[in-house]
């Protein structure tokens, strides 16, 4: 279990010193015979790093899990490049890139990041949807990259500090939606990208994959072909992610997305399927009736994990520290507890239903669609799409003038607007590579590239990796995503039915009450936690001398929020949760 780091520096001695400073010391350090470079494994952090490995004169380290090895082996063989029998996933991906370039990377399906030493350049590669993350920075004439943000925080040459612009972004979105990180000078490689970092400090970015809209005109009256094609792709995506020679584990909430993954796993896997759900107590609305129904229908071994507010309070700091960027999701601790339970049962892989909403059109798109229907351009109350999108999140964006201190607001006055993260998708120029014609596809594209990559997938990967298992998401399969954007929007949002085509594709696998019920979601008792087990923790952290010295938040606002005063309801708990999560994360990084 390890993360990796890589360095490109004026001298080999400097590169090795930088890598060691980032934590790849002793047996974890691995140097290569390329002047001015060093690669290393950080063995005290949980991850899947492997290497270095060399092919065709280039050397790399990576965290790589491939789901379509046979297709890649066939592609290389067709080009006259047979692959050795003992070839790791990382080496296979390196061979694809070295011989086929960005096209070879685009052919891959899986969870991967790769750092390649190519002559005097450092190449950084990230998978299509962002299942794994990779960060980079420049200091003292050197480039450094790592799958661990902590490694770059430790790098003395960088001398990084808290990024105020990212603080505002987090409070707006509840995650960081783009290249920005909470460390000054550190950036995140975007999904579907290949970066070439040159020794002169220049950066060249190419795109190996981006979803493209394809709308048939006229739309076929019979959707059968689209439904059957999607079913075949879902079966392939699930089959490719099932573990070999062991029971399959699935996180089952009871919603349509996790239910269909469970049904596919039981249909396709030759070993038993174990399912896991969460309960916060019988007094709260929940989906346990539906998850239990699906488990019984699919004949899984089902476990329900009871999560108390006291447990959440005791584990929240630990969960926040596991993430490279904070995620203002109250399910973070329950997700960590689920990962622990799955690992304790001996599984190495756990599947989930993440991806259904951002790929096929969940209900959270409805406020934006309604806004577009009733919009009056030029009216005093009119808002552009990007601003309306931020408001629809209902996080802390509208509260920033009263939440942040005057000095923080003043420091942010000239900072780029948070709208910049969503404008490329919601208001693209005519020549933009992000351009899509239908508003629903624009919203889905935006959700995929922001929340999908920087909230959903990174949370899944970091929390499961902390327990030595892999969390895999069949609905984020690149081939499934491509099909979704080639599907007429009216098949995704059909009348009042969200994700219609997804439901039709698996209707024969699940009870009708599961397929046709409206999405309700799991009720997380955030408000009860914050007025109960988390009350003292919140007061101790948010009103502490350390928080006051940092100078981000107005103490009078925090006091009012802790007392439930003001106009916060009904989103009071969620907004306070964001602030508390951020405080814990900043402390874990000594910021």
């Amino acid at each position: 279990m390890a993360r990796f780091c890589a360095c490109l520096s004026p001298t080999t001695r400097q590169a090795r010193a930088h890598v060691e400073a980032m934590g790849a010391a002793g047996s974890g350090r691995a140097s290569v015979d390329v002047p001015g470079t060093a690669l290393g494994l950080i063995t005290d952090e949980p991850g899947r790093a492997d290497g270095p490995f060399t092919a065709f004169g280039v050397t790399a380290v990576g965290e790589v899990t491939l789901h379509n090895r046979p297709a890649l082996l066939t592609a290389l063989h067709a080009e006259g490049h047979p692959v050795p029998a003992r070839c790791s996933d990382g080496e296979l991906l390196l061979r694809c890139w070295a011989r086929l370039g960005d096209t070879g990377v685009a052919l891959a399906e899986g969870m991967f990041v790769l750092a390649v030493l190519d002559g005097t350049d450092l190449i950084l590669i990230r998978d299509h949807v962002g299942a794994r993350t990779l960060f980079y920075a420049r200091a003292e004439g050197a480039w450094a990259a790592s799958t661990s943000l902590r490694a770059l925080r430790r790098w003395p040459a960088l001398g990084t500090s808290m990024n105020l612009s990212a603080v505002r972004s987090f409070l707006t979105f509840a995650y960081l939606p783009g290249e920005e990180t909470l460390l000054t000078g550190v950036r995140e490689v975007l999904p579907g990208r290949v970066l070439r970092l040159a020794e002169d400090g220049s950066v060249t970015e190419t795109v190996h994959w981006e979803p493209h809209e394809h709308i048939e005109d006229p739309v076929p009256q019979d959707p059968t072909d689209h439904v059957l094609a999607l079913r075949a792709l879902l079966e392939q995506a699930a089959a490719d992610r099932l573990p070999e020679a062991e029971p399959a584990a699935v996180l089952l909430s009871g919603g349509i997305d996790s239910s269909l993954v469970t049904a596919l796993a039981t249909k396709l896997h030759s070993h038993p399927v174990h399912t896991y759900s969460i309960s916060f107590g019988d007094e709260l609305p929940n989906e346990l009736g539906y998850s239990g129904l699906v488990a019984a229908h699919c004949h899984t071994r089902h476990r329900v994990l009871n999560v108390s507010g006291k447990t959440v309070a005791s584990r929240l700091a630990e969960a926040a520290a596991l993430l490279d960027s904070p995620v203002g999701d109250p399910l973070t601790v329950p997700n960590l507890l689920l990962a622990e339970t799955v690992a304790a049962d001996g599984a190495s892989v756990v599947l989930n239903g993440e991806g259904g909403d951002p790929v096929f059109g969940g209900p959270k798109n409805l406020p934006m669609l309604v806004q577009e229907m009733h919009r009056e351009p030029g009216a005093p109350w009119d808002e552009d799409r990007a601003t309306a999108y931020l408001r629809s999140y209902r996080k802390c964006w509208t509260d920033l003038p009263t939440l942040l201190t005057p000095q923080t607001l003043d420091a942010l006055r000239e900072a780029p607007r948070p709208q910049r993260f969503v404008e490329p998708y919601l208001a693209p120029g005519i020549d933009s590579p992000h351009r899509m014609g239908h508003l629903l596809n624009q919203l889905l594209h935006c959700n995929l590239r922001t929340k999908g990559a920087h909230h959903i997938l990174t949370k899944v990967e970091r929390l499961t990796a902390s327990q030595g298992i892999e969390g895999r998401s069949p609905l984020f399969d690149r081939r499934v995503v491509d099909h979704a954007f080639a599907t007429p929007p009216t098949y995704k949002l059909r009348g009042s039915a969200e994700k219609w085509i997804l439901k039709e594709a698996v209707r024969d696998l699940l009870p009708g009450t599961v397929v046709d019920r409206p999405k309700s979601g799991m009720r997380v008792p955030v408000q009860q936690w914050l007025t109960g087990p988390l009350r003292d923790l919140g007061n101790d952290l948010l009103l502490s001398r350390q928080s006051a010295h940092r100078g981000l938040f107005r103490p009078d606002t925090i006091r009012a929020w802790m007392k439930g005063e003001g106009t916060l309801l009904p989103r009071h708990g969620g907004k306070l949760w964001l602030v508390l999560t951020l405080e814990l994360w900043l402390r874990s990084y000594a910021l």
Side-chain angles (χ1 to χ4, degrees), residues 330-396:
L331 284 173
T332 302
V333 170
N335 289 156
L336 174 60
L337 298 175
L338 280 173
E340 288 180 347
T341 303
V342 171
D345 284 347
S348 63
V349 169
V350 59
L351 274 60
N352 59 66
E354 301 287 8
D357 286 353
V359 175
F360 287 98
K364 292 185 179 179
N365 298 290
L366 295 181
M368 286 295 296
L369 295 173
V370 171
Q371 188 261 0
E372 192 72 13
M373 289 171 57
H374 297 283
R375 186 178 179 190
E376 296 183 30
W381 59 83
D382 183 49
E383 290 181 322
D384 61 86
R385 283 181 181 173
T387 300
Y389 189 88
L390 300 193
R391 190 180 301 278
S392 74
Y393 261 79
R394 301 177 68 194
K395 304 303 181 184
C396 291

Side-chain angles (χ1 to χ4, degrees), residues 397-475:
W397 183 61
T398 57
D399 303 291
L400 294 178
T402 56
L403 174 60
L404 299 178
T405 60
Q407 58 266 35
T408 300
L409 291 171
D410 186 63
L412 288 168
R413 201 173 305 279
E414 301 300 323
R417 304 185 314 153
Q419 286 91 332
R420 72 189 187 278
F421 295 112
V422 299
E423 284 172 338
Y425 310 100
L426 301 179
I430 294 177
D431 298 325
S432 170
H434 302 294
R435 186 173 181 81
M436 293 193 181
H438 196 282
L439 177 57
L440 179 60
N441 283 339
Q442 292 177 8
L443 291 169
L444 297 182
H445 194 195
C446 184
N447 294 339
L448 175 73
R449 282 318 202 190
T450 56
K451 187 174 183 179
H454 302 286
H455 171 184
I456 298 173
L457 286 167
T458 186
K459 182 187 72 167
V460 167
E461 197 278 332
R462 288 305 193 233
L463 295 179
T464 54
S466 73
Q467 304 306 309
I469 59 178
E470 279 193 345
R472 298 179 180 178
S473 309
L475 296 181

